[in-house]
Amino acid sequence: MSSLSLVIPVYNEANNVAEVGRRCADALRAGPQGESWEILFVDDGSRDETTMRVAQLAAGDARFRLISLARN
């Protein structure tokens, strides 16, 4: 069994993270059966609601994760 981590850098992307997360998750689900995966958003000090939106994704699916950098 293999695993895959998709790393997505974000900065002030509150309006886009849900759609990007959905599309990436759909693509990863369509991959080989039995392959585990995660989507890791790295927030580079956003000043909008990006962190909150990614946290909402993570609350709904543990395969979504967030690393929030203190500053850009």
Side-chain angles (χ1 to χ4, degrees):
M1 178 154 96
S2 61
S3 63
L4 176 69
S5 294
L6 177 61
V7 179
I8 303 172
V10 291
Y11 179 74
N12 293 337
E13 296 292 339
N15 294 328
N16 300 315
V17 293
E19 182 67 15
V20 168
R22 183 191 65 77
R23 289 183 184 201
C24 290
D26 288 349
L28 292 168
R29 284 186 193 105
Q33 293 292 347
E35 181 173 66
S36 64
W37 54 267
E38 68 178 352
I39 299 174
L40 178 62
F41 288 91
V42 179
D43 181 24
D44 195 16
S46 293
R47 296 180 183 184
D48 64 359
E49 296 179 350
T50 298
T51 302
M52 181 190 71
R53 303 266 173 98
V54 175
Q56 289 172 339
L57 288 174
D61 187 336
R63 293 174 291 189
F64 288 93
R65 300 178 193 265
L66 170 66
I67 293 177
S68 186
L69 304 178
R71 60 183 178 169
N72 179 287

